[in-house]
Amino acid sequence: MSERSNAGRPGGNSRKVFIKTYGCQMNVYDSQRMGDALAKDGYEPTEAIENADLVLINTCHIREKAAEKIYSELGRIRVLKAERAARGESMQVGITGCVAQAEGAEIIQRAPVVDLVVGPQTYHRLPEALSRVALGEKVVDTEYAVEDKFTHLPKQEARQIARRGVTAFLTVQEGCDKFCTFCVVPYTRGAEVSRPRADIVLEARRLADAGVRELTLLGQNVNAWLGEDAGGAETGLAGLLYELAEIPGIARLRYTTSHPRDMDEALIEAHRDLPSLMPYLHLPVQSGSDRILKAMNRRHRAADYLFLLDKIRDARPDMALSGDFIVGFPGETDADFEATMQLVRQVGYAQAYSFKYSPRPGTPGATMEDHVREEVKTERLERLQKLLREQQEAFQKSFVGKVTDVLIEKPGRHAGQAVGRSPFLLPVVVPVDAGQIGDIVSVTISQSLANSLMAEGAEAQPVASQDRSDPLTRPEIRSFA
Ligand code: 5AD
Ligand code: SF4
């Protein structure tokens, strides 16, 4: 879970907004952009929910647990709203994101504390919706807007970008046409839409001008991005990456999340030819069993995935792989699960996410036969996670004694330390005199910790458990595909 809020307009009335973000990085990005829209409307961010005139919960619907959390959160907010009302202060409460899209007006029926329900496609209409709420209306806006929300959202201001740091997300694509049978995304985020190249390049330049050094392009199916190059010819994600790599100041590029079917030759070649394209790829496979892959409508076999990885590793031998796995999809037998374990052993992941299958209303998987018993799911998940943990540990340990580049992102938890990331997305604790925030420095790794590495010279201070609250490392949902 993370909380993001955004700087307000200086002067003006000082209404305060508290934004809480659940789910993937696309939600983090959306929350920032909503914050930008509200800042223009006079809202200042607050980290203290009890002081907020407006509370927005940007939600995730990917698994049942993620969606249910919202309702327990709303129970707490109801108490805070009543306390504010007793002091003669108001609190408007809005639900945004994928639960808003999926459940719409039902949310207000179930939790009358909610004043506003806005789906992911209409954030640019948030200020207008809020003025209706101020008049006492309950507002539900979950249409798929015909206008492009990105062009209607205000531009991010340099000081806001700078406050957010030297790494930035940039949504380039939204929605999904793949219809994996377990997944709600095609229903909550709609059909695949790519943002135009020129808009993306413009936003990337603004980010770079404000000091951003690393860009992560986001999309539920980011490698399905399609656009036109400067000459009007059709181009895929690779073409976009080559163009972004030319922007002065941008030293690192990443993208997430990708579908194996959309990893085209040009993109694989970009990994060989573009030094700023980082050697870390989140490429979910979900299962190692062909039978289950078919039932999931993934439209490839396990062997196709392995063949693809061979090609990727030919192009970029040091590529670190990450993935998502679902255990206990309907009909999954012991043999199917063993096929997943076998695939994981064959691939050797640097890091991966794994989940128990959670039936989502409205998806084909929910009405399939042979649902797997909870105890079986739990046992399989434990075995898979143990294997993935071992692989992660081995991956991290392979850096001890070696030199690696680190982009310094922020001060560390302890005096004398700063924290950054290696090209493989591993957090690295470096000595504070290694460089400034935004510098890329070469350090020698002395130690592998639970979820991070320690560079030589940084060990002087005792290190507490590492930062799991960062959206890129937290074990919550971080990707779709
Ligand atoms: N149950 C469990 N996990 C799911 N995911 C998506 N839908 C479900 C579901 N119904 C997982 C997939 C996806 C990641 C973001 O969440 O592994 O890649
Ligand atoms: Fe689309 Fe990914 Fe969901 Fe499949 S898992 S439907 S590719 S978002």
Side-chain angles (χ1 to χ4, degrees):
M1 301 304 100
S2 64
E3 290 158 24
R4 308 276 146 141
S5 31
N6 297 272
R9 187 174 57 187
N13 59 13
S14 64
R15 284 173 298 174
K16 295 204 163 47
V17 57
F18 174 93
I19 306 180
K20 184 155 185 175
T21 309
Y22 287 92
C24 64
Q25 294 108 321
M26 301 203 45
N27 267 8
V28 172
Y29 177 84
D30 280 347
S31 291
Q32 290 176 350
R33 302 302 303 272
M34 281 192 273
D36 295 337
L38 292 167
K40 281 255 178 301
D41 218 34
Y43 282 92
E44 282 177 20
T46 176
E47 301 292 318
I49 186 168
E50 64 280 6
N51 295 338
D53 302 282
L54 171 63
V55 172
L56 290 180
I57 313 285
N58 196 6
T59 60
C60 173
H61 199 241
I62 198 89
R63 282 174 294 275
E64 192 181 0
K65 249 195 203 162
E68 279 306 311
K69 265 186 205 159
I70 309 309
Y71 288 102
S72 49
E73 183 92 31
L74 284 171
R76 289 191 291 275
I77 290 172
R78 189 167 54 85
V79 176
L80 293 173
K81 187 169 177 166
E83 283 169 6
R84 276 181 70 91
R87 296 200 300 269
E89 294 163 342
S90 68
M91 180 188 264
Q92 297 177 338
V93 179
I95 299 296
T96 61
C98 294
V99 175
Q101 189 63 41
E103 298 188 2
E106 270 174 50
I107 298 175
I108 297 179
Q109 273 156 24
R110 188 166 159 188
V113 65
V114 174
D115 302 297
L116 173 74
V117 177
V118 181
Q121 308 309 327
T122 48
Y123 294 151
H124 52 293
R125 301 207 290 243
L126 200 57
E128 176 212 320
L130 283 168
S131 41
R132 284 164 57 200
V133 170
L135 297 174
E137 243 185 274
K138 296 263 180 189
V139 178
V140 178
D141 186 356
T142 53
E143 264 174 54
Y144 288 108
V146 281
E147 70 275 16
D148 169 20
K149 75 172 175 194
F150 294 111
T151 49
H152 287 79
L153 281 165
K155 306 273 174 291
Q156 305 184 60
E157 286 175 27
R159 72 193 164 90
Q160 283 168 338
I161 298 168
R163 215 171 48 84
R164 288 171 191 156
V166 294
T167 62
F169 294 139
L170 203 176
T171 293
V172 301
Q173 179 278 338
E174 277 200 288
C176 182
D177 296 341
K178 297 280 190 298
F179 290 92
C180 299
T181 53
F182 52 82
C183 186
V184 288
V185 167
Y187 311 95
T188 55
R189 290 275 176 164
E192 253 168 49
V193 179
S194 296
R195 281 179 76 187
R197 179 195 57 89
D199 291 3
I200 296 166
V201 173
L202 204 70
E203 188 170 334
R205 283 189 197 284
R206 289 178 72 93
L207 291 166
D209 288 349
V212 166
R213 311 251 23 231
E214 176 178 303
L215 273 184
T216 302
L217 309 187
L218 300 180
Q220 268 98 19
N221 236 301
V222 71
N223 59 344
W225 184 87
L226 206 60
E228 288 182 352
D229 67 17
E234 189 171 272
T235 178
L237 188 66
L240 180 65
L241 287 164
Y242 282 105
E243 189 163 355
L244 296 175
E246 295 295 317
I247 296 177
I250 297 299
R252 289 179 165 192
L253 290 167
R254 305 181 186 277
Y255 59 91
T256 200
T257 280
S258 300
H259 192 290
R261 296 259 311 190
D262 294 318
M263 259 342 268
D264 62 16
E265 296 291 334
L267 190 52
I268 296 171
E269 273 172 33
H271 277 286
R272 190 186 57 217
D273 298 340
L274 259 184
S276 56
L277 189 52
M278 291 292 102
Y280 177 96
L281 183 62
H282 185 70
L283 197 62
V285 65
Q286 314 293 355
S287 169
S289 152
D290 287 345
R291 226 171 54 78
I292 297 298
L293 286 170
K294 191 157 196 278
M296 287 175 163
N297 191 32
R298 292 291 291 181
R299 291 184 276 177
H300 66 77
R301 292 162 306 166
D304 301 323
Y305 179 78
L306 294 170
F307 180 66
L308 177 62
L309 294 190
D310 281 346
K311 282 205 287 187
I312 294 168
R313 281 174 164 160
D314 276 349
R316 185 79 213 218
D318 61 346
M319 181 68 86
L321 285 158
S322 164
D324 291 339
F325 295 90
I326 295 178
V327 301
F329 186 77
E332 187 187 70
T333 62
D334 284 343
D336 292 320
F337 175 67
E338 284 312 322
T340 300
M341 293 289 279
Q342 188 49 32
L343 179 139
V344 170
R345 282 186 210 106
Q346 248 174 293
V347 172
Y349 286 91
Q351 190 273 349
Y353 299 90
S354 45
F355 313 98
K356 289 188 222 178
Y357 172 67
S358 161
R360 307 309 292 125
T363 61
T367 50
M368 283 181 186
E369 292 181 352
D370 290 338
H371 278 262
V372 174
R373 278 186 297 122
E374 191 60 26
E375 315 86 83
V376 177
K377 286 186 196 171
T378 304
E379 191 263 334
R380 287 181 187 164
L381 188 68
E382 276 169 12
R383 284 185 54 208
L384 176 60
Q385 291 190 334
K386 180 166 176 288
L387 176 61
L388 290 168
R389 250 194 326 272
E390 284 164 7
Q391 293 192 342
Q392 181 184 341
E393 210 176 301
F395 177 71
Q396 285 191 202
K397 285 202 169 128
S398 71
F399 292 98
V400 175
K402 301 216 176 101
V403 174
T404 188
D405 283 351
V406 174
L407 168 61
I408 304 181
E409 292 180 17
K410 57 188 175 190
R413 289 225 174 132
H414 298 276
Q417 294 177 340
V419 181
R421 273 175 202 275
S422 79
F424 308 100
L425 210 57
L426 279 170
V428 185
V429 183
V430 300
V432 76
D433 54 10
Q436 305 283 322
I437 287 175
D439 287 349
I440 296 178
V441 297
S442 283
V443 295
T444 303
I445 301 302
S446 60
Q447 227 184 316
S448 171
L449 305 168
N451 295 297
S452 62
L453 299 173
M454 176 79 79
E456 264 175 16
E459 308 91 336
Q461 309 291 328
V463 178
S465 66
Q466 288 305 301
D467 185 355
R468 298 289 300 186
S469 64
D470 183 301
L472 282 172
T473 53
R474 82 196 127 99
E476 252 315 300
I477 305 124
R478 61 179 296 283
S479 62
F480 298 93

